[in-house]
Amino acid sequence: MKSTILPLLAVATLLFTTECARTTETERPVTSAVRNAGREADIARAADSTSATANLTAPTAVPEAPASVEAAARKTNTDYKAEIRTADAVLKSTPRNFDALLTRAKAKSHLKDYADAIVDYNAAIRLKPTNAEAYYNRGLNRLKLKQYTPAISDFTKTIKYNPQDKEAYFGRGAAKMQMFNFKSAIPDFTKAIALDDKYADAYEYRGISYSSINKPNEAKADLEKATQLNPEAAKSLRRYAGK
């Protein structure tokens, strides 16, 4: 059997770069602007029984970011620190202020204080236990900390409270890929595609997952579709479908 070099994704970076920019549930494309933000170091993992895992890299699609994400990308660390100070002042007088907790958590996330951000997301979720946004963002922070099983749980809860959230399905599938659970990841990418049939990253990651479980025909079809939607996916097409 031909071995497959897996992509283990730098997926936390892929998912994470836009989560703090969002102001509404609809302004949340997971993969916006990620390739310009740089990549995490390759992840070294022991090989499983079917695939070699050296030289891991991320897929290359870059969906266009909406204006809200582009504007947020121009913020500096100074801006985020100012947001934290403002939220601190609000929370000093009203400790159960959900919006202030969410704002502070997002700012901490941008400053790479992921563990402390999760503390704020925990508090926010206690106040609004059905808020899909808080679960989604906490899931992204958990991905950054390589807490893949809790991240999957958060994306699952996001889907429970917002079943049309394509990025939550994508995030859950990507987290499963980090755990080498490619077969289980495929239905999540399929659902994301059902919600958005132009979702290039979902086709690309599903194609890589198919390749990783030795389904070359399905992998080729998905990676060709991903490349049609986003030419940069051609890198994955060449690597995982031999074209």
Side-chain angles (χ1 to χ4, degrees), residues 92-144:
K92 186 174 180 179
S93 58
T94 55
R96 294 174 60 81
N97 188 304
F98 174 85
D99 291 333
L101 284 167
L102 200 62
T103 296
R104 190 170 70 178
K106 291 178 180 180
K108 289 176 179 178
S109 298
H110 274 293
L111 294 172
K112 301 184 179 181
D113 189 359
Y114 308 123
D116 208 21
I118 288 173
V119 172
D120 279 343
Y121 284 125
N122 291 344
I125 287 168
R126 285 194 293 271
L127 293 174
K128 292 189 178 182
T130 63
N131 186 271
E133 180 182 3
Y135 284 113
Y136 177 84
N137 288 349
R138 189 174 70 178
L140 296 181
N141 278 264
R142 284 174 163 170
L143 278 177
K144 291 296 290 186

Side-chain angles (χ1 to χ4, degrees), residues 10-113:
V11 67
T13 298
L14 173 66
L15 291 166
F16 185 78
T17 45
T18 62
E19 61 99 353
C20 297
R22 188 191 57 188
T23 58
T24 69
E25 284 296 319
T26 59
E27 295 173 348
R28 191 154 53 100
V30 177
T31 52
S32 303
V34 63
R35 311 299 184 223
N36 295 328
R39 298 191 182 137
E40 291 183 322
D42 291 344
I43 302 167
R45 297 284 300 270
D48 67 2
S49 60
T50 59
S51 303
T53 60
N55 302 319
L56 309 178
T57 59
T60 55
V62 190
E64 182 179 353
S68 61
V69 173
E70 292 168 352
R74 292 193 291 269
K75 287 186 178 181
T76 66
N77 285 355
T78 300
D79 296 324
Y80 295 123
K81 290 175 182 177
E83 289 180 355
I84 290 172
R85 289 194 296 272
T86 299
D88 285 343
V90 172
L91 290 164
K92 186 174 180 179
S93 58
T94 55
R96 294 174 60 81
N97 188 304
F98 174 85
D99 291 333
L101 284 167
L102 200 62
T103 296
R104 190 170 70 178
K106 291 178 180 180
K108 289 176 179 178
S109 298
H110 274 293
L111 294 172
K112 301 184 179 181
D113 189 359

